[in-house]
C-alpha cells in the first residue's frame, strides 16, 4: 500500500572539459557507491541522471530531467572538486529538498566540493542537507534513508486533497485554517463538503452491507453496552451507514484525508460519528485489511494535517486525542477523546480480533442526543511521539513531545469519562510546562521515537519546531 520514497541522484564534476574527462570515472564511482548502497536496502527507489554534470547546460538539463520523473528529493554527489555554480543551477531548477553527499576521501576533494556547493546554496537562501562518509557505512546509510523518508512526506503533501466535512466545531479557532494558506504553504487543496452528504448517502447503503458490518462488530467487539434508548442495534446500524457513506465520499472526491465536524448537527440530531473516526483511521474494517485514511474529529484541520504527516512518515494509524487531565498520583497526562480513536491502538498491532476484543462500545453521553456509541479502549503501552501543528498569528510551528504510554487499571478511565478512549502518557518534563505552553486542546501521536524525522520534515517545509520542555 505504501509507496517507496523516490530520490534522484546526479554526480557533479569539474567544469573544464579535459579535467572532467580525466576525473569522470571517480565522480561516477561516487554516484555508484551511493546508488548501490541505497538500492540494497530495498527501501528507496533511486533514479540516476542520464549524465554527469560538468557544465551549466548539463546542470539545468539533468536537474529538470530528475524533476520530471517525480522524485521526492535530489542527491548531489561529489567525488572530486565540482564547480559550485553547477550545484546552484541544479538547486534552482531541480526538485528539492537537496542532500549534498561526499566521501571523506583524502585522495580527492569531494568534501571540498560539498562545502563550496553548500556555501553557494546558502548564499542563495536554498536550505539543504549534507552527509559525508562511505554510503555503505550503517550510520551514513541511515542518513540517506531518513532523508528519503522525510523528503517523501514533505514533497508528498503537495497536490493532496483534504475533505473538510462541515465547518468550525464548538467555536475552536485552533481547528480552522485558511485554504489559501494551506495551498501556498503545503500545496494541499481544501475541499469543503456539507455534512448533509453523510446523511443523504447513508440512506443509500445496501442493507446487506450494513448487516455484514453489524455481524462483524457483534462477533468481535469485546463489549457492546446497548441501553434500549439512545444506543440500540438500529442506532449502531445508523452509525455503520454513516461510515459506509464516508468511505464512498472519500473515494468519489479523491480525498487523501478528512475532518468531520460532528458537533452538534450530527451528534445531537442523527448520531455520533465515532464509528467513522475509529474505522476510518484503522488498517482494517469488516471488508478486510485497508489503508488507514486520516480522520480528524470536530473538523480540526490542523489536527488532520498533523496526523497526515505522521501517517505518511510511519505508514501506521495515528491517534487523535483530547487533552483532559493531569493525574498527580500516577504522574501521567490523561488524554481522553470525546469520540473515538483507531482501535489499532488497543494493542499497536494489525490484528483486528485482538484489538476489538479490548474495545467496548458505550452509549453516547446525554449531551449527544442523536445517540449511538462511543468507542472505548485503553492505548497499549510503548514509547511514542506526540505532535501538533500550532499557529501564532498565522505562522506554523510543530510542537513535538517524546513520551511513553503506560497502562493503568481500567477503573482509572471512570475518573474522567469511562465511555471514551484513553491514553495515559508519561511526559519527560513537568506537566505544568505542557499546560502553560501547549496551544491546542487536541494532540496526536504514533508509536516510536520520531523526533528527528519530524524535525527534518519541518525544516523541509520551513516550519518552526518547538520541542516542549527544552
Amino acid at each position: 500500500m505504501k509507496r517507496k520514497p523516490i530520490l534522484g541522484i546526479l554526480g557533479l564534476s569539474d567544469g573544464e572539459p579535459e579535467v572532467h574527462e580525466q576525473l569522470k570515472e571517480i565522480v561516477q564511482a561516487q554516484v555508484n557507491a551511493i546508488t548501490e548502497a541505497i538500492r540494497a536496502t530495498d527501501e528507496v527507489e533511486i533514479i540516476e541522471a542520464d549524465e554527469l554534470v560538468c557544465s551549466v547546460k548539463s546542470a539545468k538539463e539533468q536537474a529538470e530531467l530528475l524533476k520530471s520523473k517525480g522524485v521526492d528529493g535530489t542527491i548531489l554527489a561529489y567525488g572530486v572538486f565540482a564547480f559550485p555554480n553547477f550545484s546552484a543551477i541544479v538547486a534552482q531548477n531541480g526538485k528539492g529538498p537537496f542532500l549534498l553527499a561526499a566521501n571523506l576521501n583524502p585522495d580527492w576533494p569531494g568534501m571540498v566540493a560539498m562545502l563550496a556547493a553548500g556555501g553557494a546554496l546558502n548564499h542563495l537562501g536554498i536550505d539543504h542537507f549534507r552527509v559525508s562518509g562511505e554510503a555503505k557505512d550503517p550510520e551514513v546509510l541511515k542518513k540517506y534513508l531518513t532523508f528519503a523518508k522525510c523528503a517523501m512526506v514533505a514533497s508528498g503533501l503537495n497536490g493532496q486533497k483534504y475533505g473538510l466535512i462541515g465547518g468550525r466545531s464548538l467555536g475552536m479557532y485552533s481547528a480552522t485554517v485558511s485554504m489559501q494558506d494551506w495551498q501556498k504553504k503545503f500545496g494541499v487543496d481544501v475541499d469543503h463538503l456539507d455534512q448533509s452528504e453523510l446523511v443523504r448517502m447513508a440512506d443509500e447503503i445496501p442493507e446487506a452491507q450494513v448487516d455484514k458490518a453489524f455481524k462483524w462488530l457483534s462477533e468481535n467487539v469485546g463489549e457492546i453496552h446497548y441501553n434500549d434508548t439512545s444506543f440500540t442495534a438500529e442506532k449502531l446500524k445508523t452509525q455503520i451507514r454513516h461510515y459506509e457513506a464516508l468511505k464512498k465520499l472519500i473515494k468519489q472526491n479523491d480525498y487523501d484525508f478528512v475532518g468531520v465536524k460532528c458537533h452538534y448537527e450530527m451528534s445531537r440530531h442523527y448520531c455520533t460519528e465515532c464509528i467513522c473516526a475509529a474505522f476510518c483511521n484503522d488498517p482494517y474494517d469488516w471488508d478486510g485489511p485497508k489503508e488507514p485514511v486520516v480522520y480528524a474529529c470536530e473538523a480540526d484541520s490542523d489536527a488532520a494535517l498533523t496526523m497526515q504527516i505522521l501517517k505518511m512518515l510511519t505508514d501506521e494509524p495515528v491517534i487523535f486525542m483530547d487533552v483532559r487531565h493531569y493525574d498527580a498520583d500516577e504522574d501521567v497526562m490523561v488524554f481522553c477523546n470525546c469520540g473515538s480513536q483507531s482501535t489499532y491502538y488497543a494493542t499497536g498491532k494489525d490484528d483486528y480480533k485482538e484489538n476489538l476484543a479490548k474495545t467496548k462500545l458505550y452509549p453516547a453521553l446525554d449531551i449527544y442526543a442523536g445517540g449511538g456509541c462511543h468507542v472505548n479502549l485503553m492505548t497499549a503501552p510503548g514509547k511514542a511521539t506526540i505532535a501538533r501543528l500550532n499557529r501564532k498569528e498565522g505562522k506554523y510551528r510543530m510542537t513535538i513531545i517524546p513520551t511513553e504510554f503506560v497502562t493503568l487499571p481500567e477503573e482509572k478511565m471512570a475518573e474522567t469519562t469511562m465511555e471514551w478512549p484513553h491514553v495515559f502518557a508519561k511526559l519527560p518534563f513537568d506537566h505544568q510546562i505542557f499546560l502553560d505552553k501547549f496551544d491546542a486542546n487536541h494532540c496526536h501521536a504514533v508509536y516510536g521515537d520520531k523526533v528527528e524525522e519530524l524535525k527534518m520534515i519541518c525544516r523541509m517545509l520551513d516550519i518552526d519546531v518547538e520541542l516542549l520542555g527544552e
Side-chain angles (χ1 to χ4, degrees):
M1 292 187 292
K2 179 182 179 181
R3 75 165 177 87
K4 296 177 184 178
I6 305 170
L7 291 183
I9 184 170
L10 43 77
L12 295 102
S13 185
D14 198 289
E16 170 59 45
E18 291 184 5
V19 176
H20 166 65
E21 283 298 316
Q22 292 175 326
L23 302 179
K24 65 183 182 181
E25 291 184 6
I26 299 166
V27 180
Q28 189 62 52
Q30 170 71 347
V31 172
N32 293 345
I34 296 169
T35 301
E36 290 166 10
I38 292 174
R39 281 186 178 148
T41 68
D42 199 32
E43 294 181 28
V44 175
E45 180 181 346
I46 189 159
I47 300 174
E48 295 181 64
D50 284 351
E51 60 185 65
L52 299 177
V53 171
C54 58
S55 65
V56 168
K57 182 174 182 289
S58 61
K60 185 173 187 294
E61 287 177 348
Q62 296 307 306
E64 290 178 339
L65 172 69
L66 293 178
K67 185 176 183 179
S68 72
K69 295 193 175 188
V71 299
D72 295 310
T74 307
I75 300 172
L76 283 66
Y78 306 94
V80 301
F81 186 78
F83 286 16
N85 59 318
F86 299 162
S87 297
I89 292 165
V90 168
Q92 287 180 311
N93 291 277
K95 175 64 178 71
F98 300 99
L99 179 66
L100 312 188
N103 271 339
L104 298 178
N105 182 354
D107 292 334
W108 299 101
M111 181 185 68
V112 179
M114 182 183 75
L115 295 174
L121 267 57
N122 279 331
H123 270 282
L124 297 170
I126 300 174
D127 194 18
H128 60 277
F129 301 83
R130 304 180 193 181
V131 60
S132 55
E134 293 285 343
K136 63 184 179 182
D137 179 274
E139 288 302 311
V140 175
L141 182 57
K142 182 180 177 182
K143 293 179 181 179
Y144 283 110
L145 299 181
T146 299
F147 172 81
K149 186 164 51 175
C150 295
M152 183 183 69
V153 176
S155 297
L157 286 175
N158 188 24
Q160 290 198 4
K161 188 177 181 183
Y162 168 61
L164 176 55
I165 304 174
R168 185 179 71 173
S169 179
L170 306 177
M172 289 186 288
Y173 272 62
S174 60
T176 60
V177 297
S178 159
M179 66 177 66
Q180 292 87 352
D181 287 351
W182 267 29
Q183 186 59 250
K184 183 177 180 181
K185 185 72 176 174
F186 306 108
V188 174
D189 183 45
V190 178
D191 186 52
H192 197 174
L193 192 72
D194 197 274
Q195 291 185 102
S196 62
E197 280 294 272
L198 280 174
V199 178
R200 180 184 69 83
M201 294 189 70
D203 289 338
E204 300 174 0
I205 303 303
E207 285 300 318
Q209 180 68 4
V210 176
D211 291 342
K212 174 186 177 182
F214 181 79
K215 182 174 185 291
W216 185 82
L217 289 171
S218 300
E219 290 175 350
N220 290 289
V221 171
E223 297 178 21
I224 301 179
H225 296 272
Y226 295 121
N227 63 3
D228 298 325
T229 54
S230 62
F231 181 40
T232 62
E234 280 307 310
K235 186 59 74 169
L236 178 56
K237 289 181 179 181
T238 298
Q239 290 180 293
I240 290 168
R241 290 186 181 92
H242 279 225
Y243 171 66
E244 288 289 339
L246 178 63
K247 286 201 293 184
K248 286 193 169 187
L249 288 170
I250 289 169
K251 185 176 181 179
Q252 288 178 4
N253 293 281
D254 293 321
Y255 291 147
D256 294 287
F257 58 117
V258 298
V260 179
K261 182 183 179 186
C262 188
H263 304 318
Y264 278 114
E265 296 91 344
M266 308 303 278
S267 60
R268 286 192 64 81
H269 303 292
Y270 295 97
C271 65
T272 59
E273 300 302 305
C274 301
I275 293 294
C276 286
F279 291 104
C280 201
N281 283 313
D282 264 333
Y284 47 72
D285 63 15
W286 39 84
D287 287 329
K290 67 177 184 65
E291 182 178 359
V293 177
V294 161
Y295 174 115
C297 293
E298 295 166 349
D300 185 341
S301 298
D302 276 343
L305 186 56
T306 307
M307 293 169 73
Q308 185 69 348
I309 289 170
L310 289 168
K311 183 220 167 185
M312 292 171 68
L313 175 63
T314 63
D315 197 35
E316 294 175 0
V318 183
I319 299 176
F320 180 106
M321 53 194 185
D322 281 12
V323 182
R324 178 63 179 269
H325 175 57
Y326 170 70
D327 187 318
D329 293 336
E330 301 289 344
D331 188 27
V332 295
M333 287 298 299
V334 182
F335 299 101
C336 178
N337 179 25
C338 70
S340 180
Q341 70 182 45
S342 164
T343 66
Y344 166 91
Y345 279 92
T347 66
K349 296 180 288 187
D350 285 353
D351 187 339
Y352 75 87
K353 283 186 173 292
E354 191 175 351
N355 291 329
L356 293 182
K358 296 176 176 288
T359 300
K360 301 175 185 178
L361 304 184
Y362 283 109
L365 303 187
D366 290 343
I367 60 170
Y368 308 128
C373 69
H374 298 304
V375 181
N376 165 268
L377 58 104
M378 188 187 300
T379 300
K383 291 194 179 299
T385 304
I386 294 171
R388 169 74 191 196
L389 284 169
N390 290 310
R391 285 164 288 149
K392 185 172 183 178
E393 296 182 344
K395 182 173 176 55
Y396 271 106
R397 73 184 186 282
M398 181 175 281
T399 304
I400 304 172
I401 308 168
T403 188
E404 183 172 1
F405 297 154
V406 297
T407 300
L408 296 181
E410 280 202 19
E411 53 264 29
K412 294 294 290 185
M413 292 192 284
E415 294 179 4
T416 50
T417 303
M418 180 183 66
E419 295 86 350
W420 296 351
H422 282 67
V423 179
F424 297 108
K426 295 266 186 188
L427 301 182
F429 48 79
D430 189 276
H431 73 283
Q432 198 61 47
I433 296 173
F434 184 95
L435 298 178
D436 287 346
K437 299 290 186 181
F438 198 70
D439 272 351
N441 53 310
H442 297 148
C443 58
H444 324 287
V446 290
Y447 285 124
D449 182 354
K450 307 300 177 185
V451 172
E452 292 305 313
E453 289 100 325
L454 288 173
K455 286 166 64 176
M456 180 174 278
I457 291 167
C458 288
R459 183 174 160 189
M460 290 173 175
L461 293 171
D462 191 26
I463 293 172
D464 291 341
V465 171
E466 178 184 38
L467 284 173
L468 214 56
E470 289 193 355

